[in-house]
Structure formats: C-alpha cells, structure tokens
Amino acid sequence: MTDLFEKSIHTLELPRVLELLADQAVTEEGKQRCLALRPMTDAGDVRRAQAETTAAVTMMTVRGTPSFSGVKPVRASLQRADMGGSLNTRELLEIAAVLRAARSAKDYGEGGEGAKSCIDHLFRSLTANRFLEEKITGSILGEEEIADAASPELAAIRRHIRSTASKVRDILNRLLSSNQAKYLQEAIITQRNDRFVVPVKSEHKNDVPGLVHDVSSSGSTFFIEPMGVVKANNELKELQAREEKEIERILAELSAECAAHKEDLAQDYDLLLLLDGIFARAKLSYRMRACEPKITERDVYLHRARHPLLDADKAVANDLMLGETFDTLVITGPNTGGKTVTLKTIGLLVLMAQCGLHIPVSGDSRVRVFQRVLADVGDEQSIAQSLSTFSSHMVNIVGILQQADDETLILFDELGAGTDPVEGAALAAAIIESARALGALVAATTHYAELKVYAMTTPGVENASCEFNVETLEPTYRLLIGIPGKSNAFAISERLGLPREVIQKAAQRVDAENVRFEDVLTQLDEQRQQMEREKDEARRLRREMEESSRTIREYRAKLEAERARAVEKAQAEARAILDEARGTADQVFQQLNEMRRRQRKEEDWQAVNDERSALRRRLNEAEGKLGRRPEEPAPPPTRPARAGDTVELVKMGTQAAVLAVNKDGSLQLQAGILNITAKQDEVRVVEGETRKQAQKLIQRAEHKLRTLGASPEVDLRGMMTDEAVGALDLFLDNAVLGKLNEVRIIHGKGTGAVRKAVREHLKRSRYVKSFRPGRYGEGEDGVTIAELK
C-alpha cells in the first residue's frame, strides 16, 4: 500500500469507522486488529469477508451474540511453559479463560439448526478441552488462593496446619486465662514472623519465658513466643514450607499440562480473535443498519447510500453510481450543499466494503474492488512547505496521476480551484481526460460552468448536482444525477445579508452567455421539481389503489371463508341428522325382524326386505342432496281457526294459542311470551289429544323463554358452596346471552364461605370484567356487584 493510498484512507475517514468497529470487539487484541484493518484488493478475499459478516449477522439474529469475555493473550505463557517454566496462577487462569471461551463458542456454533454458513468451520475447529479447563479452575480459586482439592497431599498438609494452629491457640488461650495474663499488655494472640506470639509488658518480659520476636516502637510491649508453643510453631512452620512446595509442584504440573496442549490452545486463541473480529463487523452492521453489497468486476452502484458517520435518522440517502454507463461523474452545486460529503461517501463505502464491512445502503447495491482509492479532498495549504492551496492540490494530483491505472478510483474535490477560473477550468478538464485515459473511474466536484458543459458534451462523463431549494435558500442534500447544478452564489449571499445593490452590480458583470446558461439550468431545475411532484402524486395514488385492492381481496377472501364454514357446518348437521335417522331405522328393522321370527314361518320375508331396501335407498338419496333443504309435504288443510283454538305455525313448527281473529281474517297468536300475527293459511288447527301435547309444548317453550330471559340478579343464600358456584355459572351464562352490563349476586353474610367462593369464581370467570362489594343501600357485604365484559 502506497503512502498516497494510506493518506487517502485517512482523508476519507476510514479510521473513524474502524474506531466504531473496535468498540464492538470484546478482546483487547481483537480491538487492535480492528483498528489495523485495511482494504483488501483481491475480489475473492472481499467476497469471503463479506459472506463471513453476513453469516455472523444471521447467527446473531437467531442465537444472539457469542461470548468472548476473559480472552487474553496466552502465547507468551504457553511458550514459557513449553520451555519448562512454571506459570503463575494468573497465567493459568487466563489459559482457563481461553478454554472456557472456546468451549462456549463451540457450543454456540453447534447450537443452530438452520442452514450451514461459511464460518461454521471456525467453530468446529475450536478444541473444547474441558478436562484441562476444570482441572485449572478446580485447583486455582483466585490469583492468591489454591484450592485444597488441587491434590490429596495439599489437602492433608492443610488439614495438619489447621490442627496444629488450633493446638497453638489452645496453649496460648490457656496462658491468657492463667495467672500470667496480668503480665500481658492485651489479652490477645497475634503473629510475628509467621509465628504465634502474645504481647507482654516490657517490665514483665522476664516473667514470661519464651522467645522475643519483636518490640513495639514505643518499647513498652514485647512480642514473646512462650516456650510452650515453640515446638508447635516449629511444626507449623514446617507444614507451611511443605504447603508451598506442594503448591509449586501443582503449578508446575498444570504448566506441563498446558505445554502439552500448546498448539491447540494457540489455535483456539487465534480462532477466538478471528471470530471476535467477524462478530464485531456484524454488530457494527446492526448499528449502522447496513447490508452486504454485491461484489462486481465493473461498476459501483450504491442505492440509497448514507455516510456512515452521520446520524442514520437525519442523513439524506442518495443513489450513487459510477462505471456502468459513464466512468466520470462531475458534481456541481452550491457551497455547503453536500458535494464533498457525497464524494467522501463514495470513497468511504468502497473502502469499507473492501475491508469486509457491511455498508449503509439498500440490498441491491454493487461495489467494485479497486487496487487503489486515491483522493484529493480538502484544503491542505502548508506554510511550512511553502505550498499554497493550489500548489498542495497539484502535488496530490501529480502523485495520483502517476499511480492511477484501470483499477483505481479517483476522487477530486474542487478540481482546479485556487487559481484563475479560466485556466483552472481548462486544467481541470485536462486532468479528468488524463485520468480517464488511464482507465480510472473519476468523481469530481467543481463550481466551473465549463466543466458542466464538458460533462454535457463528452460521452462517458455525466453531470450531477446537489439539490438547492430556491424557496427556502437551503440545500436539501439530495444528489441528482444527469442534471448540472447552479452555484446560487447570488441567492446565498443575499440570504446572508449582502445588500441587493451589490448583488445587482455583480450580476451586471456576469457574461451574457453564462447568464443564459444559468437561466437554462434554472428552467431545467424547475421542470424537474414539477415532474418529481407529479411523480410523487402518481406514486401516492398508486399506493392508495393498491391498498384499496388489497382490502377488497381480503374482504372477499373473508366472505368466501365464512361461506365455506357455513356450508361445512350445514353439511355436518345434515350428516348428523341422517346418521341418527339411519340408526333409528336400523333399530326399527331389528325389532321388526324379531317380531317376524315369532310369527308364522310362512310370512313373506321378501316384502320386508323390499321395504327395508326402499327405506335405505331413500336415506341414501337424502344424504346425496346435502346442501339443500328437502321440501316437506304440505300439511292437510284444517278448518278456520277460532279464538281459543290451539294452532301450529306451519313454517316454524311452533304451536300457539289463538287470542283473537282480526277483521281482515288474520289471527292474534300467543306463543309463550311472544305475541304473533299470522294469516289463516299459515296455521293449522290442532285438535283432540294433539291439543294437550301442544299445551305441553307451549308450557315448555314458555319455560325455556323464561330461562333465556336474563335476570339482573341471583340469590344464592342457603346453598352449599359447590351448589352456589354451579348456579352462579348458569346465571352468568344467561346474563351474557342477555347482554347485561351489570349483575347483582346475593350470597348473604353468614360464615362468609359462599361469599368467598363467589368472589374467587368471579376472579377466574372469562365473562367478568370487574366486581365489588355492595354499597350502602345495595346490601353491603351481603351482595357482590359484577361488571360483565
């Protein structure tokens, strides 16, 4: 990578994006690798890196993010262990952390049931050495503590240490409770030089026989080891030495185990760093709302591209293209209109894609892989090097033209600026021609009208402009490809407060040809805006039509589904009726057959079989006509009904009592609690025994109608708990069918058992929205008021 390419990378602000990437990494070395990332120049490598990022995004969506916490560099520790060195507890715990992360990542990679991805082999390559991991974590509790279970020898030594220390304390405690306690400065046991001692007053140092280990700074206290504990302290010291030796042996053994698995541990560490970087790219993709671009051999097409360092909710998305129908893009427009940002967006998104990062564009975008992306952007005036703005630009341009070829993307900002406008415009056109002759793709920003004309008249060169709202005199930051832009210097200057007379004088000095050219551009821009407004209106109308069409299709589908359900229900009911009729007929036939057997043997069985066959044929024919109601034969006519008669409504199959005969011959009928008006030909008179049956039917109908008539209250007093809950269920069913909003449940006070059962049931009932105890005048705590849904 050349110095100019590296300089262009910093100019286009790729390091700032890499800082965002490093923030997503977990391991410290992973963060450093993210910051050191540079664009790849092989298309195959770029495609592989993009596919890895996409695979990680898919995994994160389904399974979440794998854990890489606690992974620290272990290569130096493994190298020292391999050379026979003994690792300390911190180094061994870091190796255990790598093993734990590798095991967790391997489980993560094997946990999915979806399609295979291009990073599955990385998870499979991890070595999950759970035995070594648990051996280290089981032996080392912390950097300063080795577990008793590290070895049987260590456990025995420590058991003896505790026993000996307890013996020493017992001896000293007896001293503290003896008559020698008066010689002590304080009745405590302490340690000096890892030996148990007692603090003795200086004037009584000879009254307590033993070894002096320390004296206080004031000289008033002597720390003496009584002779009675010297032997026990010596034994304790020996045990502590054995403990340290055993700990050294355990650490050496664990170090040797790690050295034996050096290659696997080193490979696990490298794989974890690689996966950390891949998932950091995936997390950055989520954060930027980015996606994978397609890698092509020809052109760059960025659909709805946003600058990755701008706020995604505020940045204006633009379509940027280069290399398909034109190899050079000349961007014009006012200052602060977004030309430089557009230029940087093209270069930065290409560099990000070549680093394997997803870019903030729509899914149908394409990116070509370049060997170099060279940019001359910004004012690089240098006083130290005696370079003006124009000179510094020329130095960069000379270097760019020397390195450019057909695999180079070149970005020029304000090409030809900083010198005489006529010479600058001519020089800019010549530089673009030279770059095009080398086969490079070029994007340049300019204010020169000559370059606008050059782009309009030269094949392979296209104009583009940053839109400017002439009504608000503010840029919209939208890029319009195919349309040259105006500088709008006069309009911006007037908005900023420059006096109108000064602007008029400046306008008079503008060449007439330039004025006409700017007028043409203005007319073109007005026509474009009008066309866009009409296009937006057409899109809105189309969306409304599509929405209406979708609603109609959904409604039609709903109707068809309802109709199909109704037909299916009717057919099911008809089948049930026919099945019941067939079963009844079979029972009748069985009884007839039994009777026939008891009668004379000479009975004609053939006639019975014929009748049975005929009945079954009629049942089968009825079953084949499901979906339409069979026509019932008209009942025989009866005499005209009179007041007091019982009649049957022919169409309804319901019996009613005749209350009166109207002047027009119609009848006033009562069926239960219902009053009905009917004509003479719609009823038939029920006579004799049938009248009694009709009366019973009417009574049953009245009872059913009274049952269906929902009452707003129920009285449960005197009932047992189970009986009350059953009655309450029936009452709630009727109340819901009656569409009551509020009901009153009387349960009385008594022992409170029924009240408690009622309210517990109301809590669980799907019909009840809320309930409360009765207020004063409603029955207070003896009733419950329930509000139904």
Side-chain angles (χ1 to χ4, degrees):
M1 182 177 293
T2 64
D3 293 340
L4 188 55
F5 191 5
E6 184 67 30
K7 179 181 177 182
S8 299
I9 287 174
H10 284 80
T11 299
L12 296 173
E13 301 180 284
L14 179 62
R16 288 185 59 190
V17 176
L18 297 181
E19 289 175 6
L20 298 178
L21 177 63
D23 290 340
Q24 306 301 319
V26 177
T27 63
E28 287 301 321
E29 191 167 342
K31 293 178 183 292
Q32 296 302 320
R33 290 189 180 188
C34 289
L35 293 174
L37 196 61
R38 286 297 178 267
M40 294 171 282
T41 55
D42 180 76
D45 292 341
V46 174
R47 290 190 183 96
R48 174 186 50 78
Q50 287 287 344
E52 290 174 348
T53 306
T54 301
V57 169
T58 303
M59 284 188 176
M60 285 173 54
T61 303
V62 178
R63 312 178 206 172
T65 307
S67 174
F68 302 106
S69 60
V71 177
K72 296 181 180 179
V74 294
R75 284 190 173 277
S77 301
L78 292 172
Q79 186 66 29
R80 190 154 57 83
D82 190 48
M83 296 172 64
S86 181
L87 304 181
N88 58 37
T89 54
R90 179 184 56 79
E91 293 172 317
L92 288 168
L93 287 174
E94 288 176 353
I95 290 175
V98 170
L99 288 170
R100 182 170 55 254
R103 176 170 55 83
S104 174
K106 190 176 183 68
D107 292 342
Y108 174 90
E110 294 174 351
E113 298 179 357
K116 302 299 181 182
S117 71
C118 61
I119 60 175
D120 287 345
H121 69 284
L122 299 177
F123 291 103
R124 288 195 299 269
S125 300
L126 290 167
T127 303
N129 193 337
R130 189 161 191 164
F131 173 77
L132 180 57
E133 175 197 342
E134 292 180 348
K135 188 172 183 179
I136 294 174
T137 55
S139 300
I140 304 175
L141 302 180
E143 291 189 17
E144 305 295 332
E145 185 178 4
I146 303 295
D148 291 354
S151 74
E153 178 67 18
L154 181 62
I157 292 172
R158 286 184 172 175
R159 189 165 55 251
H160 290 148
I161 288 175
R162 289 190 291 270
S163 174
T164 304
S166 177
K167 185 190 303 182
V168 172
R169 287 183 177 276
D170 289 341
I171 296 172
L172 293 176
N173 282 329
R174 286 197 296 272
L175 175 64
L176 295 179
S177 60
S178 69
N179 57 2
Q180 290 184 324
K182 60 186 177 182
Y183 303 138
L184 303 181
Q185 192 76 25
E186 292 181 84
I188 61 172
I189 301 172
T190 184
Q191 282 187 318
R192 289 294 185 275
N193 301 323
D194 293 330
R195 300 178 75 88
F196 287 99
V197 296
V198 291
V200 180
K201 298 176 183 177
S202 59
E203 60 269 23
H204 297 293
K205 63 181 180 180
N206 295 323
D207 296 326
V208 180
L211 304 176
V212 177
H213 285 278
D214 198 5
V215 181
S216 66
S217 58
S218 63
S220 61
T221 304
F222 280 69
F223 295 94
I224 297 176
E225 179 185 4
M227 294 303 295
V229 297
V230 170
K231 182 179 178 181
N233 270 334
N234 290 339
E235 183 181 352
L236 189 62
K237 199 72 175 177
E238 291 175 4
L239 289 171
Q240 290 171 345
R242 287 176 58 193
E243 178 189 28
E244 291 180 2
K245 187 175 180 181
E246 179 63 15
I247 288 175
E248 290 176 359
R249 188 196 67 78
I250 291 170
L251 294 179
E253 180 182 339
L254 292 175
S255 300
E257 288 267 7
C258 294
H261 298 88
K262 172 188 172 184
E263 289 78 11
D264 291 340
L265 286 166
Q267 177 179 301
D268 283 351
Y269 179 70
D270 289 338
L271 288 172
L272 290 172
L273 291 182
L274 182 58
L275 288 168
D276 188 23
I278 292 173
F279 278 89
R281 300 202 301 264
K283 287 184 276 188
L284 184 64
S285 175
Y286 265 118
R287 177 177 172 179
M288 289 186 174
R289 305 176 197 171
C291 63
E292 177 186 356
K294 182 181 179 181
I295 305 302
T296 66
E297 304 292 337
R298 297 180 49 198
D299 64 325
V300 175
Y301 173 65
L302 306 174
H303 181 46
R304 296 190 58 76
R306 293 177 280 105
H307 195 286
L309 299 177
L310 297 178
D311 187 344
D313 295 325
K314 298 179 180 178
V316 177
N318 284 305
D319 294 342
L320 309 174
M321 56 197 74
L322 191 63
E324 185 174 12
T325 58
F326 51 88
D327 57 33
T328 301
L329 188 65
V330 177
I331 306 173
T332 54
N335 289 323
T336 71
K339 300 190 304 297
T340 302
V341 172
T342 301
L343 203 66
K344 284 187 172 183
T345 301
I346 297 173
L348 182 54
L349 295 189
V350 168
L351 293 176
M352 287 176 61
Q354 292 187 209
C355 288
L357 299 174
H358 286 179
I359 56 178
V361 295
S362 293
D364 53 348
S365 298
R366 305 185 297 273
V367 171
R368 173 181 166 184
V369 176
F370 296 94
Q371 295 297 313
R372 285 165 295 278
V373 177
L374 306 177
D376 176 50
V377 179
D379 184 1
E380 299 186 6
Q381 181 177 357
S382 173
I383 297 176
Q385 299 179 13
S386 301
L387 293 175
S388 65
T389 299
F390 178 75
S391 300
S392 64
H393 278 298
M394 281 300 108
V395 170
N396 287 337
I397 291 170
V398 169
I400 288 172
L401 292 178
Q402 288 176 347
Q403 297 182 21
D405 56 18
D406 59 351
E407 294 185 339
T408 305
L409 173 63
I410 302 177
L411 306 172
F412 292 124
D413 187 30
E414 298 297 347
L415 184 60
T419 186
D420 178 76
V422 176
E423 294 181 353
L427 190 60
I431 291 171
I432 291 175
E433 280 296 323
S434 299
R436 294 185 66 207
L438 294 170
L441 297 185
V442 181
T445 66
T446 184
H447 282 285
Y448 293 140
E450 290 83 354
L451 284 183
K452 302 175 190 176
V453 176
Y454 167 75
M456 294 173 67
T457 58
T458 306
V461 183
E462 186 63 81
N463 267 307
S465 62
C466 290
E467 187 181 47
F468 186 81
N469 191 327
V470 293
E471 296 179 358
T472 62
L473 298 178
E474 292 181 350
T476 64
Y477 304 107
R478 289 182 57 206
L479 185 72
L480 308 172
I481 294 180
I483 301 174
K486 296 176 59 178
S487 295
N488 292 296
F490 292 165
I492 295 174
S493 300
E494 183 176 3
R495 179 173 178 270
L496 295 175
L498 191 66
R500 180 175 292 276
E501 55 271 16
V502 176
I503 295 174
Q504 290 175 348
K505 290 179 181 178
Q508 294 172 0
R509 293 177 177 271
V510 177
D511 182 77
E513 288 297 325
N514 287 337
V515 171
R516 282 195 294 273
F517 183 68
E518 292 292 323
D519 289 342
V520 170
L521 292 182
T522 301
Q523 293 175 6
L524 286 174
D525 189 59
E526 291 175 353
Q527 293 176 2
R528 177 194 59 78
Q529 294 185 15
Q530 177 64 27
M531 290 175 63
E532 287 194 352
R533 284 194 292 270
E534 293 175 355
K535 187 177 179 181
D536 290 341
E537 179 65 18
R539 277 199 295 263
R540 185 187 65 81
L541 292 174
R542 180 179 177 181
R543 283 196 301 269
E544 290 180 357
M545 292 177 62
E546 290 177 349
E547 182 66 22
S548 299
S549 177
R550 184 182 63 80
T551 304
I552 291 171
R553 287 196 300 271
E554 291 177 353
Y555 183 68
R556 182 182 299 165
K558 185 177 180 181
L559 286 178
E560 290 293 333
E562 291 290 341
R563 177 179 163 289
R565 281 196 295 270
V567 171
E568 183 178 355
K569 182 179 179 181
Q571 291 178 346
E573 291 176 353
R575 289 193 189 96
I577 293 171
L578 288 172
D579 289 342
E580 184 179 359
R582 184 179 286 109
T584 302
D586 287 339
Q587 291 178 1
V588 172
F589 291 146
Q590 186 176 0
Q591 293 174 1
L592 286 174
N593 289 337
E594 186 67 24
M595 293 173 64
R596 295 294 183 184
R597 290 192 198 98
R598 295 174 183 175
Q599 291 179 356
R600 295 188 306 271
K601 293 183 179 180
E602 59 272 12
E603 185 69 38
D604 186 6
W605 290 99
Q606 184 62 40
V608 175
N609 289 336
D610 292 343
E611 291 294 331
R612 181 161 53 189
S613 299
L615 179 56
R616 284 193 176 278
R617 186 168 55 254
R618 287 196 298 272
L619 287 173
N620 291 333
E621 289 173 357
E623 185 175 11
K625 296 177 181 179
L626 290 178
R628 69 180 183 185
R629 190 180 184 92
E631 296 183 0
E632 297 181 358
T638 62
R639 64 175 175 78
R642 296 188 295 269
D645 285 344
T646 299
V647 297
E648 180 183 5
L649 292 164
V650 177
K651 293 184 178 179
M652 299 175 62
T654 303
Q655 294 188 352
V658 180
L659 300 178
V661 179
N662 298 325
K663 293 181 179 180
D664 59 356
S666 60
L667 305 174
Q668 290 290 335
L669 308 177
Q670 181 175 6
I673 62 172
L674 301 178
N675 290 326
I676 303 172
T677 301
K679 297 179 181 179
Q680 286 282 359
D681 57 356
E682 294 177 342
V683 301
R684 56 191 299 272
V685 178
V686 178
E687 299 288 353
E689 189 65 28
T690 311
R691 180 187 298 270
K692 296 179 182 180
Q693 296 175 358
Q695 189 64 30
K696 292 180 181 179
L697 289 172
I698 291 172
Q699 290 174 356
R700 284 200 297 269
E702 288 177 349
H703 175 72
K704 189 168 183 66
L705 289 171
R706 281 196 301 270
T707 304
L708 292 175
S711 172
E713 86 175 19
V714 63
D715 190 349
L716 307 178
R717 288 176 294 182
M719 297 184 183
M720 300 297 290
T721 302
D722 294 342
E723 184 183 2
V725 170
L728 177 59
D729 255 340
L730 179 60
F731 169 71
L732 291 177
D733 288 341
N734 291 336
V736 170
L737 291 174
K739 298 184 179 179
L740 297 182
N741 296 325
E742 187 177 89
V743 295
R744 182 166 177 261
I745 304 160
I746 305 171
H747 44 66
K749 297 180 181 178
T751 62
V754 175
R755 178 180 66 244
K756 181 179 180 182
V758 165
R759 293 180 180 174
E760 286 296 327
H761 188 72
L762 292 176
K763 286 181 184 178
R764 298 189 298 270
S765 176
R766 65 179 184 275
Y767 300 141
V768 178
K769 182 178 181 182
S770 64
F771 62 89
R772 61 176 175 81
R775 301 191 182 97
Y776 180 76
E778 292 179 332
E780 300 180 0
D781 209 29
V783 303
T784 297
I785 307 300
E787 183 183 355
L788 303 183
K789 295 180 180 178

